[in-house]
Amino acid sequence: MPDKRVRTLFDDADEHELKVPTSCRRSGRCRECIVEVKAGDEFLEPPTEVENFLRPPYRLACQASVTSPGAKIEFSVLRRKRACRRARSGECSGPSTGRRMVPSSGS
């Protein structure tokens, strides 16, 4: 019997040993696993209701389901810097993004 499990961008990140922030066990509640889809968005299911706060090309890795087993999707993980105690001195700027591009592989 074929595997009926839905593949998400979170699964692809795991396969590439890429750390994606999350604190809700991949349910979409924490909204931390934001990725920027660089290529292959045509192989993703439409955004879920949980993703309504995002605009394209951003998705939640836990919600972005891949429609085709062999699809190649390129995405980068967005991360926020931790709060800084010296923000007034200019040593820290507010939240920013760190990006690492990862080609998604078909499992």
Side-chain angles (χ1 to χ4, degrees), residues 10-20 79 100 102:
F10 220 126
D11 297 320
D12 288 347
D14 285 345
E15 187 174 308
H16 292 281
E17 298 180 4
L18 180 64
K19 296 205 184 277
V20 179
R79 290 192 173 92
R100 180 174 170 195
V102 174

Side-chain angles (χ1 to χ4, degrees), residues 43-77:
F43 298 113
L44 296 174
E45 291 288 344
T48 64
E49 194 172 314
V50 175
E51 297 176 280
N52 283 341
F53 73 102
L54 294 170
R55 301 222 188 274
Y58 301 99
R59 300 289 305 268
L60 292 179
C62 70
Q63 299 292 304
S65 299
V66 181
T67 60
S68 176
K72 301 291 183 194
I73 302 161
E74 189 176 300
F75 62 97
S76 60
V77 176

Side-chain angles (χ1 to χ4, degrees), residues 79-100:
R79 290 192 173 92
R80 287 188 250 179
K81 286 185 179 179
R82 293 183 183 248
C84 179
R85 293 181 185 171
R86 300 179 193 181
R88 287 187 182 182
S89 68
E91 290 180 39
C92 295
S93 54
S96 68
T97 59
R99 297 180 181 180
R100 180 174 170 195

